[in-house]
């Protein structure tokens, strides 16, 4: 689905990522860990075309990202649901409008998705908050809404950046369950997280590979996780 | 990103598609107001242009092709002098027809001033010959010289002498009208471009979020295009409507001593000011479209 080949990236200073290669195959489930500032978010941004690698190649659904125009990237993003670490909502739209935004942007009738929306909102525990504006939400509520938005289009790939950073254990299990369910439906999932207990919980449910970034390199983490 | 598709999207697109951009009451009101003012002025510029046009036409046409030769002489010599004058005129290039006014014609001309029942024979009236010009026109100076040489007391009243500057100024007035309309159009384009640029810059973060969820440039641009086109349409429509009411209640032409043919619209001409809001909306559409696509190229 998404492949990075010998990717290097830097924000101007020293190389943040050097020679990173990874393949997120169809139906795979990955975790991405590493110390804060190691470049997890950066790696995700490379995956959905928000950043362009300094060298190397990023391929999504068989297309070389660097060969795509802005609109081509936009079309790819409809197939990649992203939970952004900083959520990225439109603050003047309420929660349900924000969750439906990918549908609206794709020119689809948002009214057709009313049922999916209801179900999703209930699952992430936001059923009673749909009319609220994003600034009125707690950190955890924002993350849950962000996850709902990432999956509303039923994308082929879900990239989640710290989706459980601000929620309690029980809610994090619910969110994980949602992602596991999507993975069982054949979707590709990548979760960036510090939370080792989340990784352990997931390993009990799915075949998950754990990647670790440190010093600009990506390694497969040991079985100790 | 074809133009026809963009227009189609504007007409039947999702009416809520522009809500993805946060509303800004203040700039919205300013845009509507500026559009209204321009719509108002545009209607007056149009009325002025049409009036000048009518004026130029009527002066150009009605009087254009006639001149008069006036012969002052004792009554006894008059027939001979008139005959000479007529023969000169008939052989002048550019003269289509000549006619000597007879007693009844003169009576009819003078009646408004002296009333009916005037005995012309008691008055030393000049002899009058009416000339109808061919479209090519004739050499007025040359004719005057020939008449002076052969018909003492003959004077050529060439209407062109006083008509030409009037026609010229009416035509200039008409050009000023068109130029004003053009300026208004350009000002509208500039105003919308400025407002749209400000709005695009203020909403850079919104644009980034829309891109993250898979919005294409066209989708994002459409939100802005739709908003500005509708605002300008609304404002210009209001301004033009008010101006049309003003024009309607202006004193009619007859009361203005017929000098200006009356600033106003006649019959089907009323359709023209009604088109102004549509034209301004089209200008707004194109200006926003241009500004949006340019800004979207820059916001990485
Ligand atoms: N836009 C940017 N410009 C310059 N430097 C940046 C930018 N974004 C991130 N960085 C730097 O790049 C490094 C990696 O950032 P990144 O967000 O990828 O880390 P992360 O692994 O996601 O960290 P965390 O676990 O805290 O989310 C950090 O040192 C950060 O300061
Ligand atoms: Mg991060």
């Amino acid at each position: 689905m998404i492949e990075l080949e010998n990717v290097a990236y830097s924000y101007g200073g020293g190389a943040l990522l050097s020679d990173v290669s990874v393949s997120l195959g169809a139906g795979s489930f990955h975790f991405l860990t590493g110390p804060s500032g190691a470049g997890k978010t950066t790696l995700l941004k490379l995956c959905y075309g928000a950043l362009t690698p300094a060298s190397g190649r990023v391929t999504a659904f068989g297309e070389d990202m660097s060969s795509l125009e802005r609109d081509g990237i936009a079309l790819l993003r409809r197939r990649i649901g992203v939970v952004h670490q900083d959520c990225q909502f439109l603050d003047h739209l309420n929660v349900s409008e924000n969750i439906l935004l990918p549908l609206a942007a794709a020119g689809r009738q948002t009214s057709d998705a009313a049922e999916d929306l209801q179900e999703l909102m209930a699952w992430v525990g936001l059923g009673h908050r749909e009319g609220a504006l994003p600034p009125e939400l707690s950190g955890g509520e924002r993350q849950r809404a962000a996850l709902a938005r990432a999956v509303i289009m039923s994308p082929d790939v879900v990239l989640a950046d710290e989706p459980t950073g601000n929620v309690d254990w029980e809610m994090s299990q619910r969110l994980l369950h949602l992602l596991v369910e999507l993975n069982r439906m054949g979707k590709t999932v990548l979760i960036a997280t510090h939370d080792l207990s989340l990784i352990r919980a997931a390993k009990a449910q799915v075949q998950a590979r754990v990647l670790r970034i440190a010093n600009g390199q990506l390694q497969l983490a040991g079985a100790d996780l | 990103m074809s133009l026809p598709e963009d227009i189609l999207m504007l007409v039947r697109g999702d009416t809520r598609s522009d809500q993805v951009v946060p509303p800004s009451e203040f700039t919205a009101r300013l845009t509507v107001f500026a559009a209204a003012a321009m719509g108002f002025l545009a209607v007056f510029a149009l009325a002025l242009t049409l009036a000048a046009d009518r004026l130029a036409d009527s002066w150009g046409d009605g009087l254009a092709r006639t001149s008069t030769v006036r012969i002052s002489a004792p009554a006894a010599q008059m027939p001979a002098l008139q005959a000479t004058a007529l023969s000169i005129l008939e052989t002048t290039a550019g003269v289509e027809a000549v006619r000597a006014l007879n007693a009844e014609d003169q009576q009819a001309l003078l009646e408004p001033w002296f009333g009916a029942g005037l005995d012309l024979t008691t008055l030393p009236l000049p002899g009058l010959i009416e000339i109808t010009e061919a479209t090519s026109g004739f050499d007025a100076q040359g004719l005057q010289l020939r008449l002076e040489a052969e018909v003492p007391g003959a004077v050529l009243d060439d209407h062109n002498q006083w008509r030409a500057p009037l026609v010229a100024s009416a035509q200039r007035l008409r050009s000023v009208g068109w130029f004003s309309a053009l300026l208004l159009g350009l000002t509208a384009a500039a105003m919308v471009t400025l407002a749209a640029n400000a709005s695009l810059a203020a909403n850079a973060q919104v644009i980034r979020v829309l891109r993250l969820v898979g919005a294409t440039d066209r989708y994002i641009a459409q939100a802005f295009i739709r908003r500005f086109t509708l605002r300008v349409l609304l404002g210009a429509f209001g301004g033009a409507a008010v101006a049309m009411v003003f024009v309607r209640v202006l004193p009619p032409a007859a009361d203005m001593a017929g000098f200006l043919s009356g600033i106003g619209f006649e019959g089907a001409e009323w359709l023209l000011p009604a088109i102004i809001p549509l034209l301004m909306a089209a200008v707004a559409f194109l200006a926003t479209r241009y500004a949006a696509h340019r800004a979207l190229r820059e916001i990485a």
Side-chain angles (χ1 to χ4, degrees):
Chain A
M1 296 272 114
I2 299 182
E3 265 177 77
L4 277 67
E5 291 168 67
N6 312 110
V7 166
Y9 191 83
S10 86
Y11 283 107
L16 179 61
L17 300 175
S18 51
D19 200 24
V20 167
S21 296
V22 64
S23 166
L24 306 178
S28 65
F29 200 117
H30 284 88
F31 281 99
L32 180 62
T33 64
S36 178
K40 299 183 291 299
T41 301
T42 305
L43 188 77
L44 258 56
K45 285 183 176 170
L46 288 162
C47 288
Y48 61 84
L51 296 176
T52 315
S55 66
R57 198 153 69 122
V58 180
T59 324
F61 310 108
E63 290 193 77
D64 186 344
M65 287 260 197
S66 64
S67 70
L68 293 173
E69 301 278 316
R70 274 195 311 281
D71 283 356
I73 300 235
L75 295 182
L76 276 189
R77 284 186 187 163
R78 294 178 188 176
R79 303 176 63 187
I80 305 176
V82 182
V83 180
H84 302 276
Q85 195 167 12
D86 45 1
C87 294
Q88 303 281 4
F89 292 125
L90 292 182
D91 286 348
H92 67 287
L93 298 181
N94 68 30
V95 171
S96 35
E97 287 164 338
N98 265 290
I99 293 176
L100 291 170
L101 208 51
L103 289 166
R108 299 231 214 118
Q109 274 299 337
T110 50
S111 51
D112 296 349
E115 222 171 287
D116 289 353
L117 177 70
Q118 287 291 313
E119 213 173 306
L120 208 48
M121 298 276 279
W123 185 261
V124 300
L126 286 177
H128 59 297
R129 299 293 277 151
E130 41 182 56
L133 296 176
E136 299 163 0
L137 298 181
S138 74
E141 285 172 331
R142 286 166 68 82
Q143 280 185 329
R144 288 182 266 157
L147 181 62
R149 186 179 71 182
V151 302
I152 188 82
M153 290 268 274
S154 191
D156 298 319
V157 178
V158 180
L159 305 175
D161 200 350
E162 298 284 1
T164 59
N166 286 314
V167 299
D168 57 67
W169 168 253
E170 202 180 324
M171 182 50 75
S172 76
Q173 293 310 297
R174 276 178 82 88
L175 301 187
L176 176 65
H177 185 73
L178 181 65
L179 291 167
V180 167
E181 278 304 314
L182 286 168
N183 180 246
R184 291 202 174 119
M185 287 161 62
K187 314 291 186 189
T188 305
V189 177
L190 172 67
I191 304 175
T193 183
H194 293 117
D195 186 354
L196 299 188
S197 61
L198 186 74
I199 299 178
R200 282 190 207 104
K203 281 195 146 184
Q205 301 171 50
V206 287
Q207 275 269 312
R209 286 211 302 166
V210 182
L211 307 167
R212 186 179 159 78
I213 308 186
N215 307 319
Q217 304 287 322
L218 194 64
Q219 300 135 6
L220 208 54
D224 54 318
L225 281 172
Chain B
M1 258 176 259
S2 77
L3 186 61
E5 281 175 66
D6 277 356
I7 294 171
L8 211 64
M9 229 164 121
L10 180 73
V11 177
R12 41 145 234 224
D14 179 0
T15 46
R16 297 180 319 155
S17 69
D18 53 358
Q19 286 180 4
V20 294
V21 180
S24 159
E25 289 304 319
F26 185 59
T27 44
R29 271 193 227 126
L30 282 183
T31 313
V32 171
F33 167 76
M38 278 185 270
F40 185 90
L41 293 174
V43 169
F44 273 98
L46 182 67
L48 178 75
T49 309
L50 289 177
D53 197 42
R54 280 194 294 265
L55 201 60
D57 271 3
S58 63
W59 282 341
D61 251 32
L63 298 166
R65 303 184 47 221
T66 58
S67 313
T68 322
V69 172
R70 185 158 36 86
I71 305 165
S72 312
Q77 295 167 25
M78 191 63 80
L81 289 174
Q82 267 196 349
T84 319
L86 281 172
S87 66
I88 291 173
L89 290 170
E90 273 157 8
T91 57
T92 303
V95 171
E96 194 172 271
V98 290
R99 187 173 73 92
L101 297 190
N102 56 27
E104 287 95 78
D105 295 329
Q106 299 210 349
Q107 177 100 42
L109 276 177
L110 293 173
E111 220 173 70
W113 279 273
F114 298 105
L118 174 73
D119 184 3
L120 283 185
T121 53
T122 63
L123 285 171
L125 285 178
L128 292 177
I129 300 172
E130 192 183 85
I131 307 171
T132 306
E133 250 174 73
T135 38
S136 54
F138 59 80
D139 170 16
Q141 258 182 330
L143 181 60
Q144 176 71 52
L145 289 175
R146 277 180 73 196
L147 285 171
E148 271 167 22
E150 299 187 34
V151 187
V155 177
L156 174 66
D157 279 336
D158 179 10
H159 299 166
N160 264 318
Q161 276 172 12
W162 60 268
R163 195 189 70 225
L166 283 179
V167 172
S169 48
Q171 280 167 346
R172 218 164 297 140
L173 199 60
R174 180 172 53 186
S175 314
V176 169
W178 283 124
F179 185 64
S180 310
L182 180 72
L183 272 186
L184 281 168
L186 292 177
T187 311
M191 183 270 289
V192 174
T193 307
L194 284 175
N197 272 334
S199 175
L200 285 155
N203 287 301
Q205 180 55 23
V206 169
I207 292 171
R208 273 185 213 109
V209 171
L210 289 173
R211 285 210 170 125
L212 286 177
V213 298
T216 54
D217 277 8
R218 154 176 296 166
Y219 177 86
I220 301 169
Q222 199 65 36
F224 290 91
I225 293 173
R226 189 179 182 86
R227 177 163 290 188
F228 281 98
T229 306
L230 294 182
R231 275 179 199 166
V232 168
L233 182 66
L234 182 78
F237 184 79
V242 172
M244 282 163 82
V245 171
F246 269 58
V247 167
R248 188 75 193 79
V249 300
L250 277 182
D255 294 358
M256 299 170 84
F259 171 65
L260 281 180
S261 67
I263 291 199
F265 303 104
E266 287 160 14
E269 280 178 5
W270 281 100
L271 289 176
L272 292 174
I275 293 173
I276 284 176
L278 296 178
L279 282 177
M280 285 183 55
V283 166
F285 171 86
L286 292 174
T288 319
R289 187 171 180 271
Y290 170 75
H293 285 297
R294 206 186 47 176
L296 288 174
R297 271 198 302 279
E298 280 164 15
I299 299 174

